[in-house]
């Protein structure tokens, strides 16, 4: 294990921790950072702040995810605005962003992030890569306005495309496609944790009866917007490696499955064959 993996594993353990969440809520209400919180631990709390913090803690106690309460989440060490119209960035998804950064480094890239939500994948790739012409696509106008705010926050220029990928194709021609599409089987949705099921957008989770609807559609149509030899990299569910690589092999070569830090299959990627 390398040090960045250790930090990530430990962070995932700690986000369940009440002390961590309490400090996050107090810092948010007081508008201060962690070092100010520690250095000024003896300063008087302003009027109204305690009540506000208690209200937020009550929302948390009733199951609302902390990131929606705070309005922000961290991904690839960058802060992203979030609200209930977008999925909260998952640390597992950093596997996809890191993979794409590694594969695409060193040359100018026209990249599209399909089903972008908060924009965290496309924006962090653009930010760390440094020479990306970025398009962020989503079916939801509300999600795209969050993505736009996040692109602006990180000084990344992005074209926003509101499209229903199941029924239309993105405008433009790209060198690479990344996507974390909805991939939960419809039948499994009722069994998700209440934090996810009752608070996160179902359109970002439901991948149809077999969970593969978006993979099927994107792999079948990619030739309409991706250059031959261009990279397609998906996030996948832990048990979808075989099914998604089978789908990809039709139109893609160098198909590979990459595991996340927990050792689960997490990314499926390949390059588009010449048509
Ligand atoms: N990994 C997400 C979850 O566990 C699902 C994300 C998706 O469907 N794209 O809830």
């Amino acid at each position: 294990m390398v040090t960045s993996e250790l930090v990530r594993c430990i962070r995932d353990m700690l986000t369940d921790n009440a002390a961590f969440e309490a400090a996050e809520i107090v810092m948010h209400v007081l508008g201060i950072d962690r070092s100010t919180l520690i250095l000024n631990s003896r300063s008087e709390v302003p009027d109204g702040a305690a009540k506000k913090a208690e209200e937020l803690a009550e929302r948390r106690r009733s199951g609302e995810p902390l990131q929606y309460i705070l309005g922000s989440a961290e991904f690839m060490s960058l802060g992203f605005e979030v609200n209930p119209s977008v999925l909260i960035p998952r640390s597992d998804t950093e596997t996809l962003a890191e993979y794409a950064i590694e594969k695409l480094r060193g040359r100018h890239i026209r990249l599209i992030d399909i089903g972008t939500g908060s924009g965290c994948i496309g924006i962090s790739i653009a930010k760390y890569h440094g020479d990306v012409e970025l398009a962020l696509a989503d079916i939801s106008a509300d999600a795209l306005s969050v993505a736009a705010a996040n692109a602006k926050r990180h000084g990344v220029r992005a074209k926003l495309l509101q499209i229903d990928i199941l029924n239309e194709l993105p405008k433009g021609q790209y060198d690479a496609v990344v996507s974390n599409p909805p991939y939960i089987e419809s039948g499994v949705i009722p069994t998700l944790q209440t934090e996810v099921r009752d608070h996160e957008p179902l359109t970002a989770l439901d991948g149809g009866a077999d969970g593969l609807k978006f993979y099927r559609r994107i792999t079948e149509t990619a030739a309409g917007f991706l250059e031959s030899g261009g990279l397609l990299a998906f996030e996948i569910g832990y048990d979808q490696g075989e099914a998604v690589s089978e789908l990809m092999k039709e139109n893609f070569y160098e198909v590979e499955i990459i595991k996340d830090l927990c050792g689960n299959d997490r990314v499926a990627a390949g390059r588009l064959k010449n048509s």
Side-chain angles (χ1 to χ4, degrees):
M1 184 182 285
V2 300
T3 50
S4 65
E5 290 174 345
L6 181 60
V7 171
R8 213 180 285 165
C9 288
I10 297 291
R11 187 187 68 198
D12 286 351
M13 286 169 62
L14 295 182
T15 42
D16 267 342
N17 182 295
F20 170 85
E21 296 201 350
E24 289 288 318
I25 287 174
V26 171
M27 290 187 296
H28 177 74
V29 167
L30 298 180
I32 59 175
D33 62 15
R34 191 166 293 275
S35 59
T36 311
L37 180 73
I38 292 163
L39 292 173
N40 299 339
S41 66
R42 303 296 305 158
S43 45
E44 207 49 44
V45 172
D47 282 352
K51 187 159 177 294
K52 180 76 191 161
E54 282 162 19
E55 277 167 25
L56 299 188
E58 196 48 57
R59 281 168 59 188
R60 180 70 192 102
R61 192 149 61 181
S62 61
E64 193 173 336
L66 182 68
Q67 293 90 336
Y68 288 150
I69 294 170
L70 303 179
S72 67
E74 200 181 289
F75 183 78
M76 296 290 286
S77 302
L78 301 171
F80 288 89
E81 181 183 308
V82 294
N83 67 33
S85 61
V86 301
L87 210 66
I88 295 165
R90 310 284 203 260
S91 55
D92 287 338
T93 303
E94 294 182 348
T95 307
L96 172 60
E98 287 172 351
Y99 176 83
I101 291 164
E102 174 75 33
K103 281 276 167 183
L104 302 173
R105 67 165 36 139
R107 63 205 162 91
H108 177 78
I109 291 291
R110 295 165 298 169
L111 173 72
I112 183 165
D113 177 357
I114 299 178
T116 193
S118 66
C120 67
I121 301 168
I123 293 167
S124 58
I125 295 169
K127 184 89 187 161
Y128 288 108
H129 179 288
D131 191 12
V132 170
E133 208 173 306
L134 182 64
L136 302 173
D138 207 284
I139 191 172
S140 157
D142 290 339
L144 284 176
S145 66
V146 175
N150 283 323
K152 188 162 174 226
R153 173 174 180 163
H154 292 296
V156 166
R157 285 187 29 188
K159 192 163 64 176
L160 304 170
L161 304 174
Q162 190 184 358
I163 55 159
D164 170 5
I165 190 68
L166 295 177
N167 292 299
E168 51 193 322
L169 297 184
K171 281 205 186 67
Q173 192 67 14
Y174 299 91
D175 305 302
V177 177
V178 288
S179 182
N180 174 15
Y183 59 67
I184 312 274
E185 292 173 24
S186 306
V188 170
I189 301 274
T191 69
L192 297 177
Q193 299 169 256
T194 61
E195 274 191 336
V196 177
R197 189 189 62 209
D198 298 341
H199 296 278
E200 299 204 82
L202 286 183
T203 40
L205 295 166
D206 191 340
D210 65 359
L212 302 172
K213 180 162 74 167
F214 290 87
Y215 301 120
R216 207 170 278 121
R217 168 72 179 170
I218 294 170
T219 53
E220 280 169 4
T221 59
F225 52 94
L226 180 62
E227 296 287 353
S228 294
L231 180 76
L232 169 62
F234 283 127
E235 173 165 315
I236 58 170
Y238 71 96
D239 56 355
Q240 293 174 320
E242 211 174 298
V244 177
S245 47
E246 275 316 303
L247 284 175
M248 290 188 76
K249 279 174 186 160
E250 185 75 20
N251 296 325
F252 291 81
Y253 63 96
E254 289 179 14
V255 173
E256 58 176 342
I257 302 294
I258 294 91
K259 291 186 189 301
D260 63 23
L261 299 176
C262 304
N264 293 318
D265 288 350
R266 188 56 62 195
V267 167
R271 296 195 176 272
L272 185 66
K273 291 178 184 170
N274 280 317
S275 41

